Amino acid sequence: MGVALNRVTSPRSAVVLAAIEEANAQFVSLRRDLHQHPELAFAEFRTADKVATLLREWGYQVSTGIGGTGVVGTLRRGQGDKSLGLRADMDALPIKEATGLPYASQNAGVMHACGHDGHTAILLAAARFLALHGQFDGTLQLIFQPAEETGSGARRMLEDGLFERFPCDAVFGLHNWPGVRCGHVGCIEGPAMASVDQAHITLHGKGGHGAEPHTTVDPVLVSAHVITALQSIVSRNVDPLDMGVVTVGSIHGGQASNVIPDQVELRLTARSFRPEVRTLLQQRVPALVQAQAVSFGARAEVDYRLGFPPVCNHAQETAFARTVARQALGEARLEPDFRPRTASEDFAFMLQARPGSFLFFGNGDSASLHSPRYDFNDEILPLAASYWACLAESYLPATGEHLDA
Ligand SMILES: [Zn+2]
Ligand SMILES: [Zn+2]
């Protein structure tokens, strides 16, 4: 890549940050406007419209309706044939906001509790800078994705020919992260976020009087054994050097203390970093549930649903992203030993299709993601936007121009 490992920010990155900070007020108010008008997965009509309008204003070629409500802004400069994808997500969550902020959600029961309002504003701030002042040679593809929270937005965009219609040699995305110092960056090579799959389990027994258990097949007792046995998968089947999670988060069955019900329903989430472990969980959960049920004379139905694969960051692109972080934000803002997260992200699908990396930007000491008290930290906005701009200029260097220059 030819990018030197500077310990201080480069002169160009100071110019980029200054220009982005000058226009920052517009993007803070845009972010708060998006926060006030959150939209659920595939219903991001107002948001997508705002994104498309701004991109057009700045000279981007804009394509809408990609994978539902997705938007792609394309900007070509110079003769270079390299192309770069930067992705932001736009959707909100079905959560009742409890922040009490003056710009709190006006859409009852819907809230930007994951900071996708911030991600969208960050990429737009970078988009404006790159269109007005960017020094690059090649093609920029700015990808505004719908429906990250339901796990289907990235897939829908890919099925809609995202990378065929808008070629990208590499693709990068970022997520704000509460509990990490504001504006600090975490880069992880390899698995960075876990896969997430779920199972809906129904244990069918034979109900009856609580006083006559010998005439029943008690699915409540079966469920207790199933839940306990499930814990042996991670402790006894998964390699101790690997990560796996099996969490039963929901159990429903029975109404009264003296009635044995006919059935009990369980819901669980299974997570891992490696495909081999993911396959192991997918095989062991149903097998173990079935065997436990049979051993009690009950019957089990297991509906195992695959969600997202793990987010696997590519080595070369992650090294590049880290180098850009050093140059754009300074060594001090690079989080040492940032660890993988067991949450998940459907950007994983994009990284299966193209090389790239998914980064984490510290949101400071805020409420956690998906909390009704969460808010995106606007202090990140200019830093992350200038990071995107520096990354674009560095990935698509203009002749004679470079981040190092
Ligand atoms: Zn989320
Ligand atoms: Zn999110």
Side-chain angles (χ1 to χ4, degrees), residues 132-219:
L132 270 51
H133 315 289
Q135 298 175 355
F136 65 93
D137 187 355
T139 305
L140 265 180
Q141 308 283 18
L142 305 187
I143 303 164
F144 293 85
Q145 185 205 301
E148 190 285 323
E149 296 293 357
T150 59
S152 40
R155 197 163 29 193
R156 283 275 299 278
M157 288 192 96
L158 290 165
E159 286 165 1
D160 219 352
L162 177 66
F163 292 136
E164 290 75 32
R165 293 163 69 185
F166 311 98
C168 296
D169 294 326
V171 63
F172 294 83
L174 64 79
H175 209 291
N176 77 92
W177 213 262
V180 176
R181 283 175 291 181
C182 175
H184 282 236
V185 183
C187 296
I188 300 169
E189 187 187 315
M193 296 182 86
S195 63
V196 57
D197 303 320
Q198 22 171 332
H200 292 195
I201 298 165
T202 310
L203 300 166
H204 298 278
K206 181 173 169 252
H209 202 299
E212 297 176 337
H214 60 292
T215 65
T216 72
V217 175
D218 181 359

Side-chain angles (χ1 to χ4, degrees), residues 202-262:
T202 310
L203 300 166
H204 298 278
K206 181 173 169 252
H209 202 299
E212 297 176 337
H214 60 292
T215 65
T216 72
V217 175
D218 181 359
V220 176
L221 178 65
V222 179
S223 72
H225 282 264
V226 163
I227 293 166
T228 307
L230 283 169
Q231 302 313 310
S232 72
I233 298 177
V234 172
S235 74
R236 285 299 173 267
N237 300 134
V238 173
D239 184 325
L241 296 179
D242 281 328
M243 187 289 277
V245 173
V246 176
T247 293
V248 178
S250 166
I251 171 166
H252 285 100
Q255 304 278 354
S257 62
N258 59 353
V259 179
I260 291 171
D262 274 327

Side-chain angles (χ1 to χ4, degrees), residues 79-355:
Q79 303 302 316
D81 55 7
K82 276 185 90 176
S83 54
L84 170 71
L86 298 177
R87 173 271 208 174
D89 40 12
M90 301 188 290
D91 59 321
L93 284 155
I95 292 177
K96 188 170 181 291
E97 181 158 354
T99 60
L101 289 164
Y103 54 86
S105 171
Q106 291 181 357
N107 188 357
V110 181
M111 177 190 176
H112 269 299
C114 206
H116 299 182
D117 49 348
H119 305 162
T120 299
I122 288 166
L123 191 52
L124 285 172
R128 178 188 174 276
F129 171 85
L130 287 163
L132 270 51
H133 315 289
Q135 298 175 355
F136 65 93
D137 187 355
T139 305
L140 265 180
Q141 308 283 18
L142 305 187
I143 303 164
F144 293 85
Q145 185 205 301
E148 190 285 323
E149 296 293 357
T150 59
S152 40
R155 197 163 29 193
R156 283 275 299 278
M157 288 192 96
L158 290 165
E159 286 165 1
D160 219 352
L162 177 66
F163 292 136
E164 290 75 32
R165 293 163 69 185
F166 311 98
C168 296
D169 294 326
V171 63
F172 294 83
L174 64 79
H175 209 291
N176 77 92
W177 213 262
V180 176
R181 283 175 291 181
C182 175
H184 282 236
V185 183
C187 296
I188 300 169
E189 187 187 315
M193 296 182 86
S195 63
V196 57
D197 303 320
Q198 22 171 332
H200 292 195
I201 298 165
T202 310
L203 300 166
H204 298 278
K206 181 173 169 252
H209 202 299
E212 297 176 337
H214 60 292
T215 65
T216 72
V217 175
D218 181 359
V220 176
L221 178 65
V222 179
S223 72
H225 282 264
V226 163
I227 293 166
T228 307
L230 283 169
Q231 302 313 310
S232 72
I233 298 177
V234 172
S235 74
R236 285 299 173 267
N237 300 134
V238 173
D239 184 325
L241 296 179
D242 281 328
M243 187 289 277
V245 173
V246 176
T247 293
V248 178
S250 166
I251 171 166
H252 285 100
Q255 304 278 354
S257 62
N258 59 353
V259 179
I260 291 171
D262 274 327
Q263 64 182 53
V264 170
E265 287 177 12
L266 308 174
R267 290 189 179 202
L268 66 80
T269 178
R271 289 162 191 257
S272 57
F273 286 134
R274 293 206 309 125
E276 295 85 343
V277 178
R278 190 181 188 205
T279 305
L280 177 81
L281 299 180
Q282 189 188 352
Q283 289 164 348
R284 284 295 293 148
V285 167
L288 196 144
V289 171
Q290 298 290 1
Q292 287 291 320
V294 166
S295 75
F296 287 91
R299 186 171 63 81
E301 271 177 82
V302 184
D303 179 10
Y304 201 93
R305 302 174 186 184
L306 294 180
F308 316 166
V311 170
C312 265
N313 285 331
H314 297 241
Q316 195 181 335
E317 285 68 24
T318 305
F320 170 72
R322 189 178 281 123
T323 301
V324 173
R326 282 198 178 93
Q327 296 183 338
L329 304 168
E331 178 81 38
R333 281 219 173 82
L334 199 58
E335 280 290 295
D337 306 322
F338 191 81
R339 299 180 68 194
R341 307 285 147 162
T342 52
S344 59
E345 241 289 341
D346 77 347
F347 189 69
F349 290 113
M350 295 200 185
L351 290 178
Q352 286 186 330
R354 288 294 179 277

Side-chain angles (χ1 to χ4, degrees), residues 383-399:
L383 294 169
S386 82
Y387 177 76
W388 274 155
C390 289
L391 188 135
E393 290 194 347
S394 204
Y395 193 85
L396 306 171
T399 325

